[in-house]
Amino acid sequence: MKAVSFKNLITNHLQNNLWLYILSAICLCTGIVLGVYTVKYMSGFEKSDLLNYLSSFIKTYNSKSINYNQLFFQTIKNNIPILLVVWFLGLTMIGIPIILVVDVLKGFTIGFTVTFFVNGLGFKGIWFALLSVIPQNIVYIPCIIIGSVLAMEFSLMLIKDNGKKHWTTNISSRIMSYSMAFFIIAIFMFIGLAFETYITPNIIKLIA
């Protein structure tokens, strides 16, 4: 019975927010395209400078033993704050445009990184992109999109209820449910974090 109820809840959520999912996905794809074109139209000097930095980073990375604890906390710092920003923006009535900008920036990061690897390192760059960038983002991207939609949905709810006399009724329980959904998303993100921490570094060493 609970499984059926949960399934209905998910189905209703998707039906009611399909346009938000489409909007968030479009912003993410827009960011990816911008990242691709940024690499494409970079000057030769800029590409060379970045390639030198990348080569130096890989050599240094390859010569050192991996501190997994330090790397894990760094990975958390790089990803969880994005989710926290989206969560916070959902609690405001003006957060929707900024949430969409966050989606664009996330897409830009992915598009730029993958394209730079492929463009700068050729065949080896393809392997870098496929094995060290894309796998964790298969987890991160759905988490960011779902979080963005939940945040925009909550923000729209605040806007719609603002004019009502008792719009603050049950607001604390709504915020609690909203925050719990983000907590569940964060748990799923840890799959990507674990991959990026414990598997990606060894893949980089192997390819390098």
Side-chain angles (χ1 to χ4, degrees), residues 12-27:
N12 290 334
H13 169 75
L14 290 173
Q15 289 175 346
N16 294 334
N17 298 287
L18 181 61
W19 70 279
L20 289 177
Y21 277 100
I22 293 172
L23 184 60
S24 181
I26 288 173
C27 288

Side-chain angles (χ1 to χ4, degrees), residues 15 20 24 39 47 55 62 101 158 165 171 189 207:
Q15 289 175 346
L20 289 177
S24 181
V39 174
K47 284 184 181 179
S55 299
N62 214 20
V101 170
L158 292 177
K165 189 175 181 180
I171 190 66
M189 279 194 80
I207 297 173

Side-chain angles (χ1 to χ4, degrees), residues 28-64:
L28 193 82
C29 291
T30 300
I32 291 173
V33 171
L34 289 173
V36 170
Y37 274 90
T38 299
V39 174
K40 185 177 179 181
Y41 290 106
M42 284 173 66
S43 68
F45 176 77
E46 289 172 326
K47 284 184 181 179
S48 177
D49 198 37
L50 277 173
L51 276 173
N52 288 334
Y53 172 78
L54 180 62
S55 299
S56 175
F57 170 79
I58 291 173
K59 286 178 183 177
T60 304
Y61 198 83
N62 214 20
S63 63
K64 289 183 177 180

Side-chain angles (χ1 to χ4, degrees), residues 131-149:
L131 298 176
S132 66
V133 178
I134 292 176
Q136 58 264 33
N137 280 296
I138 291 174
V139 177
Y140 295 155
I141 289 173
C143 287
I144 293 297
I145 289 178
I146 293 170
S148 296
V149 171

Side-chain angles (χ1 to χ4, degrees), residues 151-166:
M152 289 188 286
E153 181 188 25
F154 196 83
S155 185
L156 286 171
M157 181 271 293
L158 292 177
I159 294 170
K160 289 175 183 177
D161 290 353
N162 188 34
K164 296 179 182 178
K165 189 175 181 180
H166 300 293

